[in-house]
Amino acid sequence: MEGEPTAELIRAQLRRLRVNAELSQDEFGKLVHFSGSQVSAIELGQRPLDRFFLKRADEVLDTGGLLTSLLKLAERDGQPSWFRPWLEAERQAQQLRCYQPSLVPGLLQTENYARAIIRTDDMLGDDEVEKRLAVRMDRQSILTQPNLTTFVAVMDELVLRRADESFRGLMGQQIAHLIECVERSRVSVHIVPAEVSLHVGLAGPFSLARGSDGGWVGYLENQLGGAVIDKEDDLAVLLARWESVRSEAPRGRSVDLMKEVMTSWS
């Protein structure tokens, strides 16, 4: 299983820290609000690593967040091989650009919106949904990293208005979050108005990352996975299409449009 070496490291560190603290599994379990048998199952790999459990373990054992940090590494290692190069480019980027015609970009999604989107795949069980959700939320930490100077997201107005009565409250929270994100100096959100009926971005979503060396890397998503784009000619096409799409969505009007959508629902 991908990520298993790191998961085994977490279990080994947990056992070592617990023993060094002179705590039995039952004693430790009471402190982290788990039973002794559950602690044993986690340490033996018979039960999946639990984010809440490891957070409590870090607090009880005073690890400085070691176990939860290792869990993040395990989750990253468990990502599909085709996605890892993009995650690395995303983490190291000085500039990020993302166009999405149908969804709020993952880096700007609220937890509730992201969970609802992930749950649309009915092949995923609850545990896998929560695992993918945790990874997506952790990815958002790059927006506060000092090396990232700007993140510009462009999406179509339809993304904001895709909400029936049951989804409207959740979507309202998501739009409010987008407006808050715009207030950050390094984040910009642009909305392509509905009256722009046709534009080159409708061919599909794409992202671009510019590294410290000034070079660009692209990423294309599809139903089965994604592809990292690093050929110069292909990148030139994506950069040109980015400029075309972004020009259809002026920033000032975009914020007004988001507020207008929220007002129309009240």
Side-chain angles (χ1 to χ4, degrees):
M1 179 185 296
E2 292 179 312
E4 185 59 30
T6 310
E8 180 55 39
L9 174 62
I10 295 172
R11 289 190 286 267
Q13 289 296 318
L14 174 63
R15 286 192 295 269
R16 180 185 66 81
L17 291 163
R18 177 182 59 77
V19 171
N20 286 349
E22 300 182 346
L23 293 169
S24 69
Q25 290 178 335
D26 286 334
E27 291 169 336
F28 180 65
K30 290 178 181 178
L31 293 173
V32 296
H33 310 306
F34 279 68
S35 68
S37 61
Q38 288 175 319
V39 172
S40 176
I42 291 173
E43 290 185 354
L44 293 173
Q46 298 169 349
R47 177 185 172 119
L49 293 168
D50 182 277
R51 183 174 297 272
F52 173 76
F53 172 87
L54 293 180
K55 184 175 184 296
R56 289 288 300 149
D58 276 332
E59 294 169 354
V60 169
L61 298 170
D62 193 22
T63 69
L66 171 65
L67 299 174
T68 50
S69 295
L70 287 173
L71 180 60
K72 290 181 181 180
L73 288 177
E75 290 170 338
R76 184 192 70 187
D77 292 343
Q79 292 299 307
S81 58
W82 49 261
F83 194 43
R84 292 179 198 164
W86 173 250
L87 287 178
E88 191 62 27
E90 194 177 66
R91 278 192 295 271
Q92 297 181 3
Q94 288 190 341
Q95 296 179 31
L96 280 172
R97 299 174 177 178
C98 178
Y99 168 68
Q100 268 286 358
S102 55
L103 297 171
V104 173
L107 292 179
L108 299 178
Q109 292 177 2
T110 63
E111 182 173 327
N112 287 335
Y113 180 93
R115 181 182 287 109
I117 295 301
I118 295 170
R119 278 182 174 166
T120 59
D121 185 346
D122 55 13
M123 297 178 66
L124 301 178
D126 290 343
D127 288 345
E128 182 62 22
V129 168
E130 292 304 312
K131 179 181 176 181
R132 296 192 182 195
L133 175 65
V135 172
R136 186 167 301 183
M137 293 298 100
D138 285 341
R139 279 177 60 202
Q140 295 183 0
S141 65
I142 67 173
L143 296 180
T144 59
Q145 291 181 356
N147 58 293
L148 181 66
T149 58
T150 57
F151 172 50
V152 184
V154 177
M155 65 195 86
D156 283 12
E157 182 180 345
L158 176 62
V159 175
L160 306 182
R161 298 192 182 277
R162 178 175 282 124
D164 58 22
E165 290 299 326
S166 63
F167 193 62
R168 187 165 289 187
L170 185 153
M171 195 64 208
Q173 295 173 357
Q174 176 62 71
I175 296 175
H177 177 66
L178 289 175
I179 295 172
E180 291 176 5
C181 288
V182 172
E183 295 175 354
R184 305 176 190 172
S185 59
R186 66 180 69 186
V187 177
S188 297
V189 177
H190 300 247
I191 308 298
V192 179
E195 58 260 29
V196 182
S197 56
L198 295 175
H199 59 83
V200 70
L202 295 178
F206 62 92
S207 298
L208 290 157
R210 184 175 184 269
S212 58
D213 61 354
W216 289 92
V217 175
Y219 179 68
L220 301 178
E221 297 180 58
N222 60 60
Q223 286 282 343
L224 298 179
V228 173
I229 308 300
D230 55 10
K231 292 183 179 179
E232 187 174 337
D233 290 347
D234 292 340
L235 287 169
V237 172
L238 287 181
L239 286 165
R241 292 187 177 182
W242 167 262
E243 292 300 332
S244 177
V245 170
R246 189 185 61 80
S247 68
E248 301 286 1
R251 182 180 180 183
R253 185 180 176 191
S254 295
V255 175
D256 291 340
L257 184 53
M258 286 187 281
K259 292 179 178 179
E260 176 190 321
V261 172
M262 292 186 65
T263 301
S264 70
W265 290 347
S266 60

